[in-house]
Amino acid sequence: MWMKRSSLLTIAGSDSGGGAGVQADLKTFAAHGFHGVSVITAVTSQNTLGIQSILPLDEEVVVDQLESVCSDFKPSFAKTGMLYTSETIEVVRDCLLKYDIPFVVDPVMRAETGRRLLLKGALSTLESLIGSASAVTPNKFEAEELTGITIESIDDAREAALKLSEMGADSVIITGGHLDGRDLVLKDGVFEVVDGGLLEGGTHGAGCTYSAALTANLALGSDIFRSARMAKRFVSEAIRSSRRVGHGVAPVAQLDRAIRDAERYTVLESVSHAVRRLEECEECAVLIPEVGSNIAMAVSGASRLGDVAGVEGRIIKLHGRAHAVGCIAFGATSHVGRIVLAAMRFDQSLRSAMNIRHSPAILDACRRLNLHLESFSREDEPPGEQTMEWGTAHAFEKSREKPDVIYDTGGVGKEAMIRLLGRDAHDVVDRAITIAKIVGESRGGGVLGESDP
């Protein structure tokens, strides 16, 4: 979703290892559909094993970055991370207030290894920044340092949250990585606990990612409670998707979920467009078998029917046209979905299939297109096997080259069928429409009847 003010700003330290800080924030903003802009407050020499050195930037350099970014992009929301010095905190607060940019404060104080990322003398200045924030997101240890309250339970967290709200922050969220995975949200005297367990996976950058996701959801117009729930869900998925890229703590993976979601959306759009083309093609009614047709497409690396999209109620022949009955959804087609999954076991690029009517004229059209045909006999099917998987696999196993078309001549109570395979739904429907037109032309423009030999 893009808004009129579609930029988000992160003001934080740079993590040379790419797992936290500005790098984590920008990836999180991108995953939520925003253009991310950044102001770097410090350069850290850092990897998965820890921080080797910190170089804070002069506040004049920070101001130059802030003025450059804010005067042009006019971010709809901002978040702060590692600020390190009182001087940096002061210029950041002044600039955000000058440009009237709402912001979230992630009060970064220490690295996972214990190294300080905020000088001790800067704590009171940080409190003044919190007083102007839309939200502040400390973890247990940060909340303890800010309030002086030892937090061992949710009740302790409530007490600390109330004290933080007295600093002036509009909302307070004490994140729960150290509270059995539960987050505590406070706004206008109302508390909400966001449940969550302790997850397996790398956690480097989890705090930055959470506050950046919260910022994005606030910018999208969600209230603090919904934004907190959405941010929790996002960072949990990022932890689950973490990958070991170094020798230490694995960083969270902010973009994996977004990439998967984007691909699933693209697959749905491809199948939907392919179905519309079939419905608009007058000749395509000739391809619809008695049991109905379906067209399916899988995401890359699909391993289950839930990864394959198709028409929920099949494609039928209605008033002389192909007509889809039902919506496009993942897991909607069992039969054609299993064909796709079976084909992908032999060739990962074959992510789409469509079943069409069997007839000599249609098979001849396939041959005229120089498609490679392969067949199987249902009589050879071993007991306990399912025809779609077994037939597809059997055809691949006996074929000398990759089949484009797999067909069988039916059996007792089983309609003969042709299956078109392709890279995607567009590829398959291109072939289907061409085949239908060839069949129509071969019959002088007439419609292929049910008795066609």
Side-chain angles (χ1 to χ4, degrees):
M1 175 180 179
W2 289 90
M3 304 180 70
K4 184 176 181 181
R5 299 172 72 186
S6 57
S7 296
L8 295 181
L9 167 63
T10 170
I11 307 166
S14 171
D15 175 1
S16 56
V22 163
Q23 287 82 354
D25 294 342
L26 292 176
K27 286 185 282 187
T28 302
F29 292 163
H32 286 82
F34 284 95
H35 174 73
V37 292
S38 62
V39 169
I40 295 174
T41 59
V43 176
T44 68
S45 300
Q46 184 174 173
N47 54 30
T48 63
L49 298 172
I51 297 175
Q52 289 76 52
S53 66
I54 298 173
L55 175 66
L57 300 184
D58 290 340
E59 58 266 26
E60 292 84 0
V61 178
V62 175
V63 170
D64 286 346
Q65 294 177 78
L66 283 164
E67 289 290 342
S68 178
V69 168
C70 295
S71 63
D72 183 22
F73 294 93
K74 296 181 173 58
S76 57
F77 235 96
K79 66 142 291 193
T80 67
M82 175 185 176
L83 300 177
Y84 202 63
T85 69
S86 290
E87 293 79 10
T88 295
I89 295 170
E90 289 173 351
V91 298
V92 166
R93 181 192 60 216
D94 291 346
C95 189
L96 292 173
L97 294 177
K98 172 185 174 181
Y99 285 98
D100 193 27
I101 300 171
F103 60 94
V104 171
V105 173
D106 180 12
V108 175
M109 297 181 185
R110 293 180 184 272
E112 289 169 295
T113 57
R115 183 161 185 167
R116 288 202 68 89
L117 302 178
L118 179 74
L119 297 181
K120 286 187 176 181
L123 190 61
S124 61
T125 315
L126 180 63
E127 291 175 6
S128 70
L129 180 68
I130 291 171
S132 301
S134 296
V136 59
T137 63
N139 61 29
K140 162 185 154 67
F141 303 111
E142 292 160 347
E144 287 178 337
E145 189 161 348
L146 283 165
T147 66
I149 296 171
T150 300
I151 300 173
E152 301 292 346
S153 66
I154 285 293
D155 286 338
D156 295 336
R158 286 191 178 93
E159 184 182 353
L162 286 169
K163 190 165 184 178
L164 285 166
S165 70
E166 292 172 1
M167 295 178 186
D170 189 54
S171 305
V172 177
I173 303 174
I174 298 181
T175 58
H178 305 282
L179 287 170
D180 296 324
R182 293 176 294 170
D183 300 336
L184 179 70
V185 187
L186 169 64
K187 180 177 173 61
D188 297 332
V190 178
F191 289 101
E192 180 176 310
V193 176
V194 181
D195 288 326
L198 297 178
L199 305 172
E200 291 187 8
T203 57
H204 181 53
C208 304
T209 298
Y210 176 87
S211 58
L214 181 80
T215 303
N217 279 282
L218 289 171
L220 288 168
S222 296
D223 65 25
I224 190 66
F225 297 106
R226 174 173 169 77
S227 294
R229 292 192 295 271
M230 297 298 289
K232 181 75 165 182
R233 186 181 308 170
F234 182 86
V235 76
S236 295
E237 183 65 28
I239 291 171
R240 291 189 188 97
S241 301
S242 64
R243 61 191 71 179
R244 189 161 295 283
V245 291
H247 295 88
V249 179
V252 301
Q254 298 91 344
L255 291 176
D256 280 16
R257 172 66 181 271
I259 291 169
R260 290 197 299 272
D261 287 349
E263 184 181 17
R264 290 175 79 86
Y265 175 79
T266 300
V267 167
L268 289 172
E269 284 290 293
S270 297
V271 175
S272 179
H273 186 251
V275 170
R276 286 198 300 272
R277 291 180 62 200
L278 286 171
E279 291 178 325
E280 292 167 358
C281 173
E282 184 176 355
E283 296 90 345
C284 282
V286 71
L287 302 179
I288 308 303
E290 287 293 318
V291 296
S293 183
N294 213 322
I295 183 167
M297 181 177 171
V299 298
S300 56
S303 61
R304 58 191 181 90
L305 288 174
D307 296 329
V308 186
V311 181
E312 285 183 320
R314 299 193 181 187
I315 302 168
I316 64 171
K317 184 156 55 178
L318 180 67
H319 304 308
R321 293 283 188 115
H323 177 75
V325 180
C327 299
I328 312 300
F330 281 94
T333 170
S334 174
H335 284 67
V336 184
R338 292 202 299 271
I339 293 169
V340 172
L341 293 176
M344 289 181 69
R345 290 201 293 269
F346 293 87
D347 188 333
Q348 283 287 310
S349 71
L350 293 176
R351 293 165 47 204
S352 186
M354 178 182 178
N355 69 307
I356 62 175
R357 184 177 177 223
H358 179 284
S359 80
I362 292 175
L363 288 174
D364 182 62
C366 292
R367 294 186 181 97
R368 288 171 62 181
L369 290 173
N370 293 317
L371 299 177
H372 179 66
L373 280 68
E374 193 56 76
S375 65
F376 66 89
S377 171
R378 291 177 183 258
E379 294 180 358
D380 297 331
E381 183 179 327
E385 293 284 349
Q386 292 187 313
T387 300
M388 300 305 156
E389 291 99 329
W390 174 82
T392 303
H394 185 67
F396 270 91
E397 288 167 352
K398 75 174 193 175
S399 181
R400 293 184 177 180
E401 57 183 287
K402 178 177 65 179
D404 302 302
V405 177
I406 298 174
Y407 68 94
D408 74 278
T409 55
V412 178
K414 301 290 185 180
E415 184 179 2
M417 198 66 63
I418 297 173
R419 297 98 181 160
L420 305 179
L421 305 178
R423 298 183 304 276
D424 54 39
H426 297 290
D427 186 27
V428 170
V429 82
D430 282 344
R431 288 178 176 175
I433 290 174
T434 304
I435 290 167
K437 290 183 179 297
I438 290 174
V439 171
E441 290 170 359
S442 69
R443 296 181 56 81
V447 177
L448 184 65
E450 298 299 328
S451 60
D452 182 75

